[in-house]
Amino acid sequence: MLIPAPSRAIRQARLAQGLSLRALSARAGLAYSTLSKLENGKMSLTYDKLIRLAQALNIDVKDIVSEGEHAAAPVAVGRRSVTRAGEELDAESDQHVHHFPAADLLGKMMIPIIIDIQARSVEELGGLVRHAGEEYLYVVRGTMELHSDLYAPLQLSAGDSVYFDSGMAHGYVRTSGEPCTVLTVCAGPGMRQLVDAAGKSWRFNPESAKRSD
């Protein structure tokens, strides 16, 4: 079985720091079995897991995803990627469901992600995360709070948006019983490598267009 480059990078970084699987799982807030599957390429490396592992290992996201071959952005102008309803790739975690439009377009300067927010508290979220760059968040439906380490929780409802420094620790929390879906656009060092590498393990889900009611 061919183990994806990011999975190998996580294992190498862990061993280089003399950490056991259990020690890293505790530090990252991930189950031992989950981390074992991630290292062996038996589980998709979702965005939130990669951010959490980079923090736990005290390394940059790009150090996890930059191993191996990466496609450079074409120099020609006029690139585009059309994603029809239900055609986006997705990755699910306990905290959120991520839908990735334009996944076929490598070397993007911005990374759009549609997120179905599941977590109802920072504790359930597993803590705040940070990554270099900037982030734009637009609430498509439902209500939520943007938690951070510098500001009081920011209440947001459908139609509200916020642009913020994603180097500030942050997290998305749903605040009502109804589904909450947001569009977030990330840009910054490591983000392109993150999606280009993680995209190799995403799978098309024909049910992804069916949002919870």
Side-chain angles (χ1 to χ4, degrees), residues 61-85:
V61 167
K62 64 181 175 59
D63 294 327
I64 295 179
V65 299
S66 62
E67 179 186 324
E69 183 178 351
H70 296 286
V75 296
V77 296
R79 295 198 305 157
R80 77 174 194 178
S81 174
V82 178
T83 305
R84 302 293 184 184

Side-chain angles (χ1 to χ4, degrees), residues 19-130:
L19 295 171
S20 66
L21 270 173
R22 294 196 182 280
L24 181 56
S25 68
R27 185 183 292 185
L30 295 172
Y32 172 87
S33 58
T34 296
L35 182 57
S36 177
K37 291 176 182 177
L38 288 173
E39 282 199 0
N40 288 286
K42 296 179 180 179
M43 177 180 289
S44 296
L45 287 164
T46 59
Y47 170 82
D48 53 323
K49 289 186 179 70
L50 280 168
I51 295 295
R52 201 169 299 284
L53 284 166
Q55 288 184 317
L57 291 165
N58 195 30
I59 58 178
D60 195 277
V61 167
K62 64 181 175 59
D63 294 327
I64 295 179
V65 299
S66 62
E67 179 186 324
E69 183 178 351
H70 296 286
V75 296
V77 296
R79 295 198 305 157
R80 77 174 194 178
S81 174
V82 178
T83 305
R84 302 293 184 184
E87 291 181 349
E88 66 268 27
L89 298 176
D90 63 14
E92 184 173 356
S93 68
D94 294 335
Q95 294 79 26
H96 304 310
V97 178
H98 296 79
H99 307 276
F100 297 89
D104 62 322
L105 192 61
L106 300 181
K108 298 185 289 294
M109 297 302 296
M110 300 180 295
I111 309 303
I113 310 172
I114 300 169
I115 304 175
D116 295 330
I117 300 176
Q118 308 291 334
R120 295 173 181 264
S121 68
V122 173
E123 292 72 26
E124 186 178 341
L125 190 61
L128 304 178
V129 298
R130 70 174 80 238

